[in-house]
Amino acid sequence: MSEERSLNFIEEIVEEDIREGKHGGRVLTRFPPEPNGYLHIGHAKSICLNFGLALKYGGQTNLRFDDTNPVKEDVEYVDSIKEDVKWLGFTWAKELYASDYFEQLYAFAVELIRQNLAYVDDSTPEEIAVQKGTPTVPGTGNEYRNRSVDENLQLFAEMKAGKYPDGAKVLRAKIDLASPNMHLRDPLMYRIKHAHHHRTGDQWCIYPMYDFAHGESDAIEEITHSVCTLEFIPHRPLYEWFIEKLGIFPSKQYEFARLNLNYTVMSKRKLLQLVDEQYVDGWDDPRMPTISGLRRRGYTPASIRDFCERIGIAKRENMIDVGLLEFCIREDLNKTSWRRMAVLDPIKLVVTDYPEGKTEIFTGENNPEAEGGEGGRDIPFSRELWIEREDFMEVPPKKFFRLAVGNTVRLKSAYIVKCEGFKKDDAGNVTEVYCTHIAESRSGNDTSGLSVKGTIHWVSVPDAKTVEVRLYDRLFQVEDPSNEDGDFKDYINPESLHILPHAYIEPDLANAVPGKGYQFIRKGYFTLDKNSTPEKLVFNRTVTLKDGWVKK
Ligand code: ATP
Ligand code: MG
C-alpha cells in the first residue's frame, strides 16, 4: 500500500529512541524462529514487522535460529525458513544460531551462580510445580535452594560433563518464590537432555531454556528492539532481570498482538500433525497457512506484505478474516496476471457453419490492466470448441445471457454465435451444443451492428491441451477449530480439495511459467503446481475472481 498511514506503536517507540539518541540512533532487530516447523502467515507478520522497522529506520535485522531444543529441530526447517524469508523479499544482516552461544550462555549461567543468583535443584518437575505455589499462594523453597555457591558450581559443571541422566537436575534462577509473577518464581535456566543437536551434535547434554537463552542472545547481538508476541508480556521482568544481573547489553522487549486467521490453525504443533497424519500433502500443501503453502497456491510476496501492512500492529489480539488475505492476492493478480482461457468442466460446441479443418488465429492481450497490455498471444479458433457446461442451459431462467437455443453470445476474442440446438446422451446429459456464427462480428473488426449481453470463454478442440486443475476451499469448516470441542482435526473440511482431471487450456498456456499467476478468464487466478510434468500440467486455483464464499 502506498497511502500514508500513521505510525504503529512500535514505530513510535523506535522514533522516540532515535530522537533521544539511544544506542546512537542505531536500530537492530531480529527474527528468531525456532527451526521446528515451516513458517506460516503469522510468522510473515513478525518478519514484515522486524525487517520493516529496520528498512524504515536505516537499521538491520538478524535472522536468528532459536535452536535451543535439540529434539524437535531439523536442518530441513532451517533451509525452508531461509527460503521463505528471502522469498518474502527480505535480506538479513547475519544468519545466527542461538546454539552458537551455548558456550557464552554457559558462562553467563556460571556468573549468576557465582553471584548466588542461580542454584542446582534435584527436585522432580512435579515437585517443582507443587513448590512453586499458585498465583494466589506463594511458593515454598526447598533444601536445594540453600546450596553453597561452590557446590552449585561443581554440580553445574558435572551436569555439563554428562554425569547425570535426563531430568535428574535443573539449574534455576534464584529470584522470588513469592512473586505475583509466576515466571519470577525461580524459573528454570537449564535442563539435562542427552540428545543430538542438529548443529552442536553431541557436544552438549544441558540445554538452556527459552527465557534464559532468548534475552541473552539478544544482548550478545546487541539487538536494540526485540519484538515478540503478547504472551511474552509476563516474561519481560525475567528478560530484564537476567540482563540487569549480568550487566550485559540492555536489549528491550516489546510485545504486539499475534496474527490469528479464521478457518485455519497456526500453531506449528498442529500444522505438523496435519502433515504427519497426511491430512494434507506436506507443509507446502496449497491449503496450508504456511508461507510455502501460500506460495504453491499462487500467492505473491507482494500480496503477503500488503496483507501484513493492512492488518497493522496492535496491542490487542483479534481474529482476521481470511477474506482479507484473499482480497490482497486478488488485488495483486488483477494487476499482474496474464489472461488466458481454460475450460474446467467441458462440453463441446460445434460451429456448424464454420468450415471443417479451417483454423483462424485471433489475438488476445496478455494483461489489459497493464500499460500496453504486456503484449499478446495467438488464440486458434476452429469449428469445434470446448465451452463450460454451465454456459449452456436447456431450459434457461430469465436473464440467462449465455447459451440457450435462440440466444446469441460472444465467444471471447472471436465471433458472436447463435445457439441453434443441442444433443443429449442416453442418460439425458447434454453432450454437444450447435451454433452458427456471424462472420461480420470478428472481435476487433465487428461490423455486424449486433450487441450481445453475454461473453463466454472457449478453447479450440484440436488445439486444446488437457491439464489437471485443483480447486481449493478452506481447510476447516469452522472459524476457530482450535477453540471447538474435541480435536481440531474433527473440523477439517472434507471438500477442501476438488480435482478436475480433464480441463482444457488454450495452447499458449502450455508455456506457463512456475511462480507466475494467470487469470483463467471468468474462472479465477491460477498458477502452475510443482506436481506438473511435461506430459501433464497441473494448475492450482489461487483464488476465485470474486469473494463468493458463503458460510455453511
Ligand atoms: P507456533 O506457536 O506457531 O509454533 P512459535 O511462536 O513457537 O509459533 P517461533 O518460531 O518461536 O514460533 O516464532 C518466531 C517468531 O515469530 C517469534 O518472534 C514469534 O513471536 C513470531 N510469531 C509466531 N507466530 C506468530 C503469529 N501468529 N503472529 C505474529 N507473530 C508470530
Ligand atoms: Mg516459540
Side-chain angles (χ1 to χ4, degrees), residues 38-39 84 87 282-299 540:
Y38 281 59
L39 297 182
D84 289 351
W87 179 78
W283 284 95
D284 68 349
D285 184 296
R287 292 164 293 179
M288 291 279 270
T290 51
I291 309 283
S292 50
L294 291 166
R295 174 167 61 232
R296 188 170 165 197
R297 175 88 170 245
Y299 276 74
N540 294 323

Side-chain angles (χ1 to χ4, degrees), residues 426-463:
D426 295 343
N429 300 311
V430 175
T431 53
E432 286 186 0
V433 177
Y434 303 113
C435 291
T436 51
H437 76 296
I438 318 291
E440 301 77 41
S441 68
R442 277 189 69 113
S443 197
N445 184 24
D446 182 353
T447 57
S448 70
L450 295 171
S451 81
V452 291
K453 287 213 169 98
T455 298
I456 65 171
H457 61 280
W458 52 273
V459 172
S460 160
V461 170
D463 303 285

Side-chain angles (χ1 to χ4, degrees), residues 30 66 68 191 208-215 228 232 235 253:
R30 86 286 174 263
D66 209 337
T68 54
R191 64 204 190 291
M209 303 300 290
Y210 173 87
D211 280 319
F212 182 61
H214 198 84
C228 59
F232 289 99
H235 298 243
Q253 174 184 307

Side-chain angles (χ1 to χ4, degrees), residues 261-484:
L261 194 64
N262 59 7
Y263 299 101
T264 192
V265 294
M266 214 105 88
S267 113
K268 284 185 274 186
R269 188 177 53 80
K270 291 186 178 134
L271 295 175
L272 180 63
Q273 280 182 54
L274 295 175
V275 174
D276 281 350
E277 296 167 33
Q278 295 176 14
Y279 288 95
V280 294
D281 171 30
W283 284 95
D284 68 349
D285 184 296
R287 292 164 293 179
M288 291 279 270
T290 51
I291 309 283
S292 50
L294 291 166
R295 174 167 61 232
R296 188 170 165 197
R297 175 88 170 245
Y299 276 74
T300 58
S303 68
I304 295 176
R305 292 195 304 261
D306 180 29
F307 172 73
C308 291
E309 183 70 28
R310 284 174 194 266
I311 56 179
I313 302 298
K315 288 188 201 179
R316 275 186 49 197
E317 281 203 19
N318 61 351
M319 178 73 88
I320 301 290
D321 189 77
V322 64
L324 181 62
L325 184 61
E326 294 168 351
F327 171 83
C328 291
I329 187 60
R330 265 187 211 110
E331 283 268 301
D332 189 24
L333 291 177
N334 178 46
K335 285 190 228 119
T336 59
S337 71
W338 282 7
R339 273 58 172 177
R340 292 291 181 267
M341 293 199 279
V343 174
L344 306 188
D345 180 16
I347 53 167
K348 196 178 274 183
L349 181 153
V350 181
V351 187
T352 50
D353 59 347
Y354 196 86
E356 252 173 85
K358 176 173 173 180
T359 302
E360 263 180 289
I361 304 294
F362 289 91
T363 55
E365 241 179 0
N366 282 330
N367 182 1
E369 293 292 317
E371 190 117 9
E374 295 180 353
R377 85 287 185 189
D378 292 344
I379 317 169
F381 180 89
S382 65
R383 178 185 162 92
E384 296 202 337
L385 310 171
W386 295 117
I387 61 165
E388 298 289 346
R389 181 171 300 279
E390 65 183 14
D391 283 339
F392 171 81
M393 283 189 92
E394 188 180 349
V395 188
K398 270 200 187 113
K399 299 201 175 167
F400 182 76
F401 298 125
R402 292 171 275 166
L403 288 171
V405 174
N407 276 10
T408 48
V409 299
R410 173 166 295 281
L411 298 174
K412 173 83 185 161
S413 300
Y415 294 107
I416 294 175
V417 291
K418 179 168 189 210
C419 185
E420 311 280 2
F422 60 93
K423 188 168 106 185
K424 283 200 220 178
D425 64 15
D426 295 343
N429 300 311
V430 175
T431 53
E432 286 186 0
V433 177
Y434 303 113
C435 291
T436 51
H437 76 296
I438 318 291
E440 301 77 41
S441 68
R442 277 189 69 113
S443 197
N445 184 24
D446 182 353
T447 57
S448 70
L450 295 171
S451 81
V452 291
K453 287 213 169 98
T455 298
I456 65 171
H457 61 280
W458 52 273
V459 172
S460 160
V461 170
D463 303 285
K465 304 247 177 317
T466 307
V467 298
E468 177 176 314
V469 167
R470 297 179 184 169
L471 306 179
Y472 300 98
D473 198 353
R474 295 171 185 191
L475 188 50
F476 288 91
Q477 291 170 299
V478 295
E479 286 211 48
D480 191 0
S482 306
N483 241 337
E484 298 281 343

